[in-house]
Amino acid sequence: MIIVMKAEASKADADELLALIENKGLKPLYLPGEERTVLGALGDERVLADMNLHNHPHVDEVKAILSPYKKVSRELHPEDTIVEVGPCRFSPDKFVVIGGPCAVENTEQMSTVAQGVSQAGAKLLRGGIFKPRTSPYSFQGLGIDGLSVMTDAADAHGMGTVTEVTDVTEVPQLDGRVSAFQIGSRNMQNFRLLEAVGKTNTPVLLKRGLSAKIDELLLAAEYIVDNGNDQVVLCERGIRTYETATRNTLDLNAVAYIKKRSHLPIIVDPSHGTGVKDLIVPMSKAAVAAGADGLIVEVHPNPSEAKSDAHQQLTIAEFTELMQQITPFVHASGRTLS
Amino acid sequence: MIIVMKAEASKADADELLALIENKGLKPLYLPGEERTVLGALGDERVLADMNLHNHPHVDEVKAILSPYKKVSRELHPEDTIVEVGPCRFSPDKFVVIGGPCAVENTEQMSTVAQGVSQAGAKLLRGGIFKPRTSPYSFQGLGIDGLSVMTDAADAHGMGTVTEVTDVTEVPQLDGRVSAFQIGSRNMQNFRLLEAVGKTNTPVLLKRGLSAKIDELLLAAEYIVDNGNDQVVLCERGIRTYETATRNTLDLNAVAYIKKRSHLPIIVDPSHGTGVKDLIVPMSKAAVAAGADGLIVEVHPNPSEAKSDAHQQLTIAEFTELMQQITPFVHASGRTLS
Amino acid sequence: MIIVMKAEASKADADELLALIENKGLKPLYLPGEERTVLGALGDERVLADMNLHNHPHVDEVKAILSPYKKVSRELHPEDTIVEVGPCRFSPDKFVVIGGPCAVENTEQMSTVAQGVSQAGAKLLRGGIFKPRTSPYSFQGLGIDGLSVMTDAADAHGMGTVTEVTDVTEVPQLDGRVSAFQIGSRNMQNFRLLEAVGKTNTPVLLKRGLSAKIDELLLAAEYIVDNGNDQVVLCERGIRTYETATRNTLDLNAVAYIKKRSHLPIIVDPSHGTGVKDLIVPMSKAAVAAGADGLIVEVHPNPSEAKSDAHQQLTIAEFTELMQQITPFVHASGRTLS
Amino acid sequence: MIIVMKAEASKADADELLALIENKGLKPLYLPGEERTVLGALGDERVLADMNLHNHPHVDEVKAILSPYKKVSRELHPEDTIVEVGPCRFSPDKFVVIGGPCAVENTEQMSTVAQGVSQAGAKLLRGGIFKPRTSPYSFQGLGIDGLSVMTDAADAHGMGTVTEVTDVTEVPQLDGRVSAFQIGSRNMQNFRLLEAVGKTNTPVLLKRGLSAKIDELLLAAEYIVDNGNDQVVLCERGIRTYETATRNTLDLNAVAYIKKRSHLPIIVDPSHGTGVKDLIVPMSKAAVAAGADGLIVEVHPNPSEAKSDAHQQLTIAEFTELMQQITPFVHASGRTLS
């Protein structure tokens, strides 16, 4: 950590901080300059994170040297983590597509979707049973009763399942019964929930918060890994910016950046990432090309009748078209569809 | 709701949508134009919210006419809601200041803070016992054992208490033992938690999410009110923008805007709203002048030793100075300190 | 245009606005509802743009129906505009790469770059002679003396040239001597400059402003086209968001969106769009896949010695590698390199 | 400057950079650590600004120690700069209000406004004659013919004048004939224009760009001061964020922050800063309380007939009310209206 003192700080002020650094087990450095004095704290500076030294009365600015996360960093763990979810492997040679409706509604819906999505080449089925909704007046999901509706449909086609957990009490209800948990954007920093899934052996699909920095996404993943579960797949799903033409701004820079910095796989959600149906195909291709390890796409047999995200979900025909459209880009990336 | 059809949409396409609107119990309107056809749906358009008509194949854009929230809107409830928390009233003639440390650490800390803050004129004590932290390596709070540490300190000076709940399981542990619950920024859209506090009779301090739109904050409040608890105080605490000189951008526009649109009180958190200690005093004055009903400020007897937000919290002397500095502005606003 | 009246507005208030709408030559519509009255103004509502009716005392909100731009819209001009720049055609079957240094420095530099870039397959050479710099203490470019340095280098390899104009006085100095003008991000809304290049016959590469909305970019293009020059190529170059891991957030959603809404070609600048050198290759592939018509990339024979954007520019070897890496994606898109 | 090497960088890599630092006249420092090696460059590090060392192949991150601006910094020039504009002084004991229409339209309009604004207590008249407009179809201003219309109206009431320059060619036309130039948001980084006004002796009102960082605003001011003109008044006018309830987010943090870091006066534009008419009064009060040195407010005798920003401008009665409403806050700040 580098600590820039205020212009008016004295040698005694610096000495006080240097003693503090040494007390914390770090190696202190004293670098007097013409305009400013700079101090260094070498070693595992994360022990200083809670001190908010940038608000110390004699300190002007503090610069971290190390990234705040460790276990998810590629620096100490250079090889890619392979995550197995149901019949699929998230790995550098594969491209995994997860399809299914926003919300599980009934048996017929799920059966139709599972067949359609499976026939188009996807092996993981998604569907929400616990739905976090912005408005209290919106459909809130079937709850735990929806679980077997989804798993029966998936089983019939040899598919794995992914569903969202919104609260710690739901984790034991679903653990062992789904192929992967999904943590939604709004819960990316629900730390109790991260700890709860981190204590299971079930893979976790962790979505980036709507305005989360990349470092915060990686720190949220660190919570899960630190609790013992390293089967984490990250998901970029669009960030909130000033642009209003699209609902969110799909940040593919983040995909490329995370592939360099972390060993965890990362997929893209083009449905929420754009919020505009006719951008799903081009942005899915772009996600492949940017290096993503997969996609998660909303599909519904009859989107205009859907109880949530109506009209935004793809029809089965549109999903089939999407799979065909991305295939040449998957191959250009040296991957095959998983 | 106004529905703008695509240029190429036919009369038959419009008729299909008009039938749908009528089916939902709304009054349909057909407005053919030269370049585009426009449809209207008059009545309580919230029933259409889930349909995502903007993604309908023949629809170009959809414009809502009504705000998505109802019960927290000033339109149907013009008079200000008065919220009583411990010995304080959040009301248009009062200005309420809540002071206390980021985290409850021990008896001596809380006792010193309660005395100092109380002497400076504040009657509500804050302190976190369940701490949501960005990093798994940071101090996570004392847990439920910290509760009596805080309440004993408050009782000794006739103060009320405010503490954060981070999970539904904590609500029954704290209900009846604190003067108000706080819902933190990261949980503003933790809908299960909003429902849980909405079912109690304890007032709720609801902080705006880091990138929440004003409408989303009001909808989150609507969850609480809709579950039966109308004792809600909103809190502006800075939003995430591109600016990096300050940690967050305190959005006082939101305070002025919400005073016009909602009957709920709203206070300001200048500690997190700026993230820069020497901006706390000027921005507190500005909050008063913008029409806020109060402040929540972090105070610690020895900020450099604090287990979290070290150096960012005010000392008791600094807090006392803050109270003196804001007083002329409170009076210029026609209010008195509560 | 749809005008939502305030809840308390009377019939007389509505009548006053309806008369105003009629006076402006639009067809007025009166739609009384239970909670609100809504008015419509059908026809070319752009005549109302200056009236800011959203601030009218009886008006709650105003919703535009038509896009604010006309001539650049695909709605009235469905077929793609083909833009010819030097030996290249920006068209749906081609992919055009523009390469060259941030700033023209000297003859040897430009000669080396032109040869390297040309050999790697690019036919357009870029280079800044008038440099807008954030700091007054930075290198400001060679000025008009740099022009022949660039054009001589380009001519020697049969390449076209692209250079930035920063002020109206520079337009006549460069007109006829370069293959295309570039308008930089900071000047996207320098309307006098847009008019000046709009009065020439030279193609214009118009870069999106750092925080420009897509509509504003298209309106800026409209200024150029409206002045008589329809040879405009748009350029997405990253927008400013809260994310700090990358310098800007490359908004590929904008590329996909603009391809649907406008007939103008659009290219991507991955150098500025990411600001991180090792993201240039993956984001260039993603740009191809998202549907972009080309790339503009900074290349320097010796980036560490560059007078501006040192270390950020690609070496000639890296640029050659980039061209090879994108080729399979260009083919997967059904295009060939131009 | 602090340079953090990549984990894999060797001693030889560090030596190469240390030599470079020394060559540039700075003092090099070598700080080997367990996980990373850190280098320092002490002295006037601004000479390294153009090198983009963060993209150097062996460098992970670069941290600046000094602010990029010098002459506008309070560090080297602690006392407040007093700027005299017409009959007003921008200084810590005064509060200056500038009022007038968005655009100069005709003699009667300006005469009425000047009288009204003057009577309400303001001594500076604003009005645009060169209007930068987002759409080519909007009113573009009277041009130079509007100048005497404005100055005659101002003279009749002993007022000073402020008007916008949008291009270098306008500077000599206005120099000596107005009390201050205004540089609009879109031109904050029009560096040729900044240089041009920097070479005059006329005070400059410099508005923050729509998405300019505070440092960039101060660097833009540095361009003016560096060219010889230190009579610069900064203006916060709202920034672009994700929030859509208000047109812009007025960033009063920036006002408080700049008062600490720079000696230049700073005023606030609540008209554009909110874009919502009924927020102008509360946010003007907040601006006073945050420490602003003045306001610039749009006033029109008949806002509904205005040729630009119709309905957004205050009437003379509303402006008079504004002046009365802010007065107690001006006094609470220890200032008097100038």
Side-chain angles (χ1 to χ4, degrees):
Chain A
M1 183 173 282
I2 298 299
I3 297 159
V4 184
M5 305 292 289
K6 285 190 175 156
E8 66 272 19
S10 68
K11 176 74 173 61
D13 299 329
D15 283 343
E16 190 191 310
L17 276 168
L18 291 167
L20 171 74
I21 290 165
E22 201 157 15
N23 275 345
K24 291 278 181 177
L26 302 173
K27 184 176 161 196
L29 283 163
Y30 176 62
L31 315 169
E34 262 169 75
E35 297 187 33
R36 299 295 182 92
T37 289
V38 173
L39 309 183
L42 301 187
D44 190 348
E45 67 193 31
R46 296 171 189 97
V47 301
L48 293 175
D50 279 347
M51 305 216 56
N52 287 290
L53 286 176
H54 65 281
N55 275 314
H56 185 283
H58 300 304
V59 170
D60 192 43
E61 273 191 275
V62 167
K63 328 265 185 180
I65 293 175
L66 303 177
S67 64
Y69 47 87
K70 288 188 213 177
K71 293 181 180 167
V72 303
S73 168
R74 199 179 270 285
E75 205 160 290
L76 302 174
H77 181 312
E79 68 282 9
D80 290 295
T81 287
I82 310 298
V83 180
E84 308 217 9
V85 178
C88 295
R89 280 167 59 90
F90 290 85
S91 74
D93 57 336
K94 295 290 182 188
F95 193 81
V96 179
V97 182
I98 308 170
C102 174
V104 173
E105 296 171 9
N106 57 58
T107 305
E108 194 193 335
Q109 171 221 26
M110 290 308 292
S111 163
T112 311
V113 161
Q115 177 172 349
V117 161
S118 164
Q119 204 160 331
K123 296 184 191 134
L124 292 179
L125 184 67
R126 60 153 285 158
I129 59 177
F130 302 111
K131 297 300 303 171
R133 305 302 304 277
T134 304
S135 166
Y137 308 121
S138 296
F139 174 62
Q140 309 272 332
L142 291 185
I144 193 66
D145 296 342
L147 180 59
S148 60
V149 177
M150 177 169 59
T151 53
D152 289 354
D155 289 350
H157 297 88
M159 301 178 79
T161 52
V162 181
T163 199
E164 183 170 352
V165 279
T166 64
D167 189 86
V168 292
T169 59
E170 296 160 8
V171 174
Q173 299 182 63
L174 296 178
D175 194 20
R177 303 180 66 191
V178 294
S179 309
F181 294 124
Q182 179 181 313
I183 303 281
S185 292
R186 294 188 187 83
N187 280 312
M188 191 200 85
Q189 292 193 317
N190 183 334
F191 302 115
R192 300 298 85 80
L193 185 56
L194 298 176
E195 287 163 3
V197 298
K199 286 177 178 137
T200 72
N201 292 316
T202 301
V204 181
L205 176 62
L206 175 64
K207 296 185 96 170
R208 183 182 185 183
L210 190 53
S211 67
K213 294 194 179 191
I214 292 171
D215 271 13
E216 293 168 339
L217 171 61
L218 291 173
L219 270 173
E222 186 96 358
Y223 258 94
I224 300 171
V225 175
D226 192 50
N227 276 277
N229 186 351
D230 71 347
Q231 294 286 291
V232 179
V233 177
L234 305 172
C235 181
E236 159 62 31
R237 47 78 71 209
I239 60 173
R240 181 162 273 181
T241 69
Y242 68 83
E243 180 59 71
T244 52
T246 50
R247 195 168 62 179
N248 297 304
T249 297
L250 189 67
D251 180 11
L252 294 180
N253 272 359
V255 173
Y257 183 90
I258 286 174
K259 294 305 290 179
K260 304 279 177 193
R261 301 289 174 126
S262 174
H263 51 83
L264 296 176
I266 178 163
I267 68 170
V268 166
D269 173 351
S271 304
H272 293 94
T274 65
V276 179
K277 201 170 175 177
D278 61 7
L279 302 188
I280 293 177
V281 168
M283 294 311 287
S284 293
K285 294 176 186 175
V288 175
D293 297 295
L295 294 176
I296 180 165
V297 182
E298 288 192 347
V299 189
H300 194 283
N302 189 353
S304 65
E305 299 289 314
K307 290 193 178 172
S308 61
D309 280 5
H311 290 294
Q312 181 168 304
Q313 306 182 54
L314 296 186
T315 62
I316 289 164
E318 289 165 338
F319 179 75
T320 306
E321 170 74 12
L322 168 71
M323 293 295 278
Q324 288 164 358
Q325 291 268 332
I326 63 171
T327 300
F329 293 91
V330 170
H331 296 160
S333 300
R335 296 179 186 248
T336 54
L337 281 167
S338 172
Chain B
M1 183 173 283
I2 298 299
I3 298 159
V4 184
M5 305 292 289
K6 284 189 177 158
E8 66 273 18
S10 68
K11 176 73 172 60
D13 298 331
D15 284 344
E16 191 191 309
L17 276 167
L18 292 167
L20 173 74
I21 291 165
E22 201 157 14
N23 275 344
K24 291 278 182 179
L26 301 174
K27 186 176 160 197
L29 283 164
Y30 176 61
L31 315 169
E34 261 169 75
E35 298 188 31
R36 298 296 183 91
T37 290
V38 173
L39 310 182
L42 301 188
D44 190 347
E45 67 193 32
R46 295 171 189 98
V47 300
L48 294 176
D50 279 347
M51 305 217 54
N52 286 289
L53 287 176
H54 66 282
N55 274 314
H56 185 284
H58 300 304
V59 170
D60 192 44
E61 273 191 275
V62 167
K63 328 267 184 179
I65 293 175
L66 303 177
S67 65
Y69 46 88
K70 289 186 212 178
K71 292 181 180 166
V72 304
S73 169
R74 199 180 271 285
E75 204 160 290
L76 302 174
H77 182 311
E79 69 281 10
D80 289 296
T81 288
I82 310 298
V83 180
E84 308 216 10
V85 178
C88 294
R89 280 167 59 90
F90 290 86
S91 73
D93 57 335
K94 294 290 182 188
F95 193 81
V96 179
V97 181
I98 308 169
C102 175
V104 173
E105 297 171 7
N106 57 58
T107 304
E108 193 194 335
Q109 169 220 29
M110 291 309 293
S111 162
T112 311
V113 162
Q115 177 172 349
V117 162
S118 163
Q119 203 160 331
K123 297 183 190 133
L124 292 178
L125 184 66
R126 60 152 285 158
I129 60 176
F130 301 112
K131 296 299 302 172
R133 306 302 304 276
T134 302
S135 166
Y137 308 120
S138 297
F139 174 62
Q140 309 273 330
L142 291 185
I144 193 66
D145 295 344
L147 179 60
S148 60
V149 177
M150 177 169 58
T151 53
D152 290 353
D155 288 350
H157 297 89
M159 300 178 81
T161 52
V162 182
T163 200
E164 184 171 351
V165 279
T166 64
D167 188 86
V168 292
T169 59
E170 297 160 10
V171 175
Q173 298 181 66
L174 297 177
D175 195 22
R177 303 179 65 192
V178 293
S179 310
F181 294 125
Q182 178 180 315
I183 304 280
S185 292
R186 293 188 187 84
N187 280 313
M188 190 200 85
Q189 291 193 317
N190 184 334
F191 302 114
R192 299 299 84 80
L193 186 56
L194 297 177
E195 288 163 1
V197 298
K199 286 180 178 134
T200 72
N201 292 316
T202 301
V204 180
L205 177 61
L206 176 65
K207 296 185 96 171
R208 184 181 185 185
L210 188 55
S211 68
K213 294 194 178 190
I214 293 172
D215 271 13
E216 292 167 339
L217 172 59
L218 292 173
L219 270 172
E222 185 97 359
Y223 258 94
I224 301 171
V225 174
D226 191 51
N227 275 277
N229 186 350
D230 72 347
Q231 294 286 291
V232 178
V233 177
L234 306 172
C235 180
E236 159 62 31
R237 48 79 72 207
I239 60 173
R240 181 162 273 182
T241 69
Y242 68 84
E243 180 58 72
T244 52
T246 50
R247 194 169 62 178
N248 296 305
T249 298
L250 189 66
D251 180 12
L252 294 181
N253 273 358
V255 173
Y257 183 90
I258 286 174
K259 294 305 289 179
K260 304 278 177 193
R261 301 290 173 124
S262 174
H263 51 85
L264 296 175
I266 178 164
I267 69 170
V268 166
D269 173 350
S271 304
H272 293 94
T274 64
V276 180
K277 201 171 174 176
D278 62 7
L279 303 188
I280 292 177
V281 168
M283 294 311 287
S284 293
K285 295 177 186 174
V288 175
D293 299 295
L295 294 176
I296 181 165
V297 182
E298 288 192 346
V299 189
H300 193 283
N302 189 353
S304 66
E305 299 289 314
K307 291 195 178 172
S308 60
D309 280 4
H311 288 295
Q312 180 169 305
Q313 306 182 54
L314 296 186
T315 62
I316 289 164
E318 288 165 339
F319 179 75
T320 306
E321 170 74 12
L322 169 71
M323 293 295 277
Q324 287 163 359
Q325 290 268 333
I326 63 171
T327 300
F329 294 90
V330 171
H331 295 162
S333 300
R335 297 178 185 248
T336 54
L337 281 167
S338 171
Chain C
M1 183 173 281
I2 299 298
I3 298 158
V4 184
M5 305 292 290
K6 284 190 176 157
E8 65 273 20
S10 68
K11 176 72 172 64
D13 298 331
D15 284 345
E16 190 190 310
L17 276 168
L18 291 167
L20 172 74
I21 290 165
E22 201 157 14
N23 274 344
K24 290 279 182 176
L26 301 174
K27 186 176 160 197
L29 283 163
Y30 175 61
L31 315 169
E34 261 170 76
E35 297 188 33
R36 298 296 183 92
T37 289
V38 174
L39 309 182
L42 302 187
D44 190 348
E45 68 193 32
R46 295 170 189 98
V47 300
L48 294 176
D50 279 347
M51 304 216 55
N52 287 289
L53 286 176
H54 66 282
N55 275 314
H56 185 284
H58 300 305
V59 170
D60 192 44
E61 272 191 276
V62 167
K63 326 268 186 178
I65 293 175
L66 303 178
S67 64
Y69 47 87
K70 287 185 212 177
K71 293 180 180 166
V72 305
S73 168
R74 199 180 271 285
E75 205 160 290
L76 302 175
H77 181 311
E79 67 281 10
D80 290 296
T81 286
I82 309 298
V83 180
E84 307 216 10
V85 178
C88 295
R89 281 167 58 89
F90 289 85
S91 73
D93 57 335
K94 294 290 182 188
F95 193 81
V96 179
V97 182
I98 308 170
C102 174
V104 173
E105 295 171 8
N106 57 57
T107 304
E108 193 193 335
Q109 169 221 30
M110 291 309 292
S111 163
T112 310
V113 162
Q115 176 171 351
V117 162
S118 164
Q119 204 159 333
K123 297 183 189 134
L124 293 179
L125 184 66
R126 60 151 287 157
I129 60 177
F130 302 111
K131 296 299 303 172
R133 305 302 304 276
T134 303
S135 165
Y137 307 120
S138 297
F139 174 60
Q140 309 273 330
L142 292 185
I144 192 66
D145 295 343
L147 180 61
S148 60
V149 177
M150 177 169 58
T151 54
D152 289 353
D155 289 349
H157 297 87
M159 299 179 81
T161 52
V162 181
T163 199
E164 184 170 351
V165 280
T166 65
D167 188 86
V168 291
T169 59
E170 296 160 10
V171 174
Q173 298 180 65
L174 297 178
D175 194 22
R177 302 178 67 191
V178 293
S179 309
F181 293 124
Q182 179 181 312
I183 304 281
S185 292
R186 294 187 187 83
N187 280 312
M188 191 200 84
Q189 291 193 318
N190 183 335
F191 302 114
R192 298 299 85 80
L193 186 56
L194 298 176
E195 288 163 1
V197 298
K199 285 179 179 138
T200 73
N201 292 315
T202 300
V204 181
L205 177 61
L206 176 65
K207 296 185 97 171
R208 184 181 185 184
L210 189 54
S211 69
K213 295 194 178 190
I214 292 172
D215 271 13
E216 293 168 338
L217 171 59
L218 292 173
L219 270 172
E222 185 96 358
Y223 258 94
I224 300 172
V225 175
D226 191 50
N227 275 277
N229 186 350
D230 72 347
Q231 294 286 290
V232 178
V233 177
L234 305 172
C235 181
E236 159 62 30
R237 48 77 73 209
I239 60 173
R240 181 162 273 182
T241 69
Y242 68 84
E243 179 59 71
T244 52
T246 50
R247 194 169 62 178
N248 296 305
T249 298
L250 190 66
D251 180 12
L252 294 181
N253 273 359
V255 173
Y257 183 90
I258 285 174
K259 294 306 289 180
K260 304 278 177 193
R261 301 289 174 126
S262 174
H263 50 85
L264 296 176
I266 178 163
I267 68 171
V268 166
D269 173 350
S271 305
H272 293 94
T274 64
V276 179
K277 200 170 175 177
D278 62 7
L279 303 188
I280 293 178
V281 168
M283 293 312 287
S284 294
K285 294 177 185 173
V288 175
D293 299 295
L295 294 175
I296 181 165
V297 183
E298 289 192 347
V299 189
H300 194 283
N302 189 353
S304 65
E305 299 288 314
K307 292 195 178 171
S308 59
D309 280 5
H311 288 295
Q312 180 169 303
Q313 306 182 54
L314 297 186
T315 62
I316 289 164
E318 288 165 339
F319 179 75
T320 306
E321 170 75 10
L322 168 71
M323 293 295 277
Q324 288 164 358
Q325 291 268 334
I326 63 171
T327 300
F329 293 91
V330 171
H331 295 161
S333 300
R335 297 180 184 247
T336 54
L337 281 166
S338 170
Chain D
M1 182 173 284
I2 298 299
I3 297 159
V4 183
M5 305 292 287
K6 285 188 176 159
E8 65 272 20
S10 68
K11 176 75 171 61
D13 298 330
D15 283 345
E16 191 190 310
L17 276 168
L18 292 167
L20 172 73
I21 291 165
E22 200 157 15
N23 274 344
K24 291 278 181 178
L26 301 174
K27 184 176 163 198
L29 284 163
Y30 176 61
L31 316 169
E34 261 170 76
E35 296 187 32
R36 300 295 184 91
T37 290
V38 173
L39 310 182
L42 301 187
D44 189 348
E45 68 194 31
R46 294 170 190 98
V47 301
L48 293 175
D50 279 347
M51 304 216 55
N52 287 289
L53 286 175
H54 65 283
N55 274 314
H56 186 283
H58 300 304
V59 169
D60 192 43
E61 273 191 274
V62 167
K63 328 266 185 181
I65 293 175
L66 303 176
S67 64
Y69 46 87
K70 288 186 210 178
K71 294 181 179 165
V72 303
S73 168
R74 199 179 271 286
E75 205 160 290
L76 303 174
H77 181 311
E79 67 283 9
D80 289 296
T81 286
I82 310 297
V83 180
E84 308 217 8
V85 178
C88 295
R89 280 167 59 90
F90 289 85
S91 74
D93 57 335
K94 295 291 182 187
F95 193 81
V96 179
V97 182
I98 308 170
C102 174
V104 173
E105 295 172 9
N106 57 57
T107 305
E108 194 194 334
Q109 171 221 27
M110 291 308 293
S111 163
T112 311
V113 162
Q115 177 172 350
V117 161
S118 164
Q119 205 160 332
K123 295 183 193 136
L124 292 179
L125 183 66
R126 60 153 286 158
I129 59 177
F130 302 111
K131 296 299 304 172
R133 305 303 304 276
T134 303
S135 166
Y137 308 121
S138 297
F139 175 62
Q140 309 273 330
L142 290 186
I144 192 66
D145 295 343
L147 179 60
S148 60
V149 177
M150 176 169 59
T151 53
D152 290 353
D155 288 349
H157 298 87
M159 300 178 80
T161 52
V162 182
T163 199
E164 183 170 352
V165 280
T166 64
D167 188 86
V168 290
T169 59
E170 296 161 9
V171 174
Q173 299 182 63
L174 296 178
D175 194 21
R177 303 180 66 191
V178 293
S179 310
F181 294 123
Q182 179 181 315
I183 303 281
S185 293
R186 293 188 188 83
N187 281 312
M188 191 200 84
Q189 292 193 317
N190 183 334
F191 303 114
R192 299 298 85 80
L193 186 56
L194 298 176
E195 288 162 3
V197 299
K199 286 178 178 138
T200 72
N201 293 316
T202 301
V204 180
L205 176 62
L206 176 65
K207 297 185 95 169
R208 184 182 186 184
L210 188 54
S211 68
K213 294 193 178 191
I214 292 171
D215 271 13
E216 292 168 338
L217 171 59
L218 292 173
L219 270 173
E222 185 96 358
Y223 259 93
I224 300 171
V225 175
D226 191 51
N227 275 277
N229 185 351
D230 72 347
Q231 293 286 291
V232 179
V233 177
L234 305 171
C235 180
E236 159 61 32
R237 49 78 71 208
I239 60 173
R240 182 162 270 180
T241 69
Y242 69 83
E243 179 58 72
T244 52
T246 51
R247 195 168 63 178
N248 297 305
T249 297
L250 190 67
D251 180 11
L252 294 181
N253 273 359
V255 173
Y257 183 91
I258 285 173
K259 294 307 289 180
K260 304 278 177 194
R261 301 289 174 126
S262 174
H263 51 84
L264 296 176
I266 179 164
I267 68 170
V268 167
D269 173 350
S271 304
H272 293 92
T274 64
V276 179
K277 200 169 174 177
D278 61 7
L279 303 187
I280 293 177
V281 168
M283 293 311 288
S284 293
K285 294 177 185 173
V288 175
D293 298 295
L295 294 175
I296 180 164
V297 183
E298 288 191 347
V299 189
H300 194 283
N302 189 353
S304 65
E305 299 289 314
K307 290 194 179 173
S308 60
D309 280 6
H311 289 295
Q312 180 169 304
Q313 306 181 55
L314 297 186
T315 61
I316 290 165
E318 288 165 339
F319 179 75
T320 306
E321 170 75 11
L322 169 71
M323 293 295 278
Q324 288 163 358
Q325 291 268 332
I326 63 171
T327 300
F329 294 90
V330 170
H331 295 161
S333 300
R335 296 179 186 248
T336 54
L337 281 166
S338 172

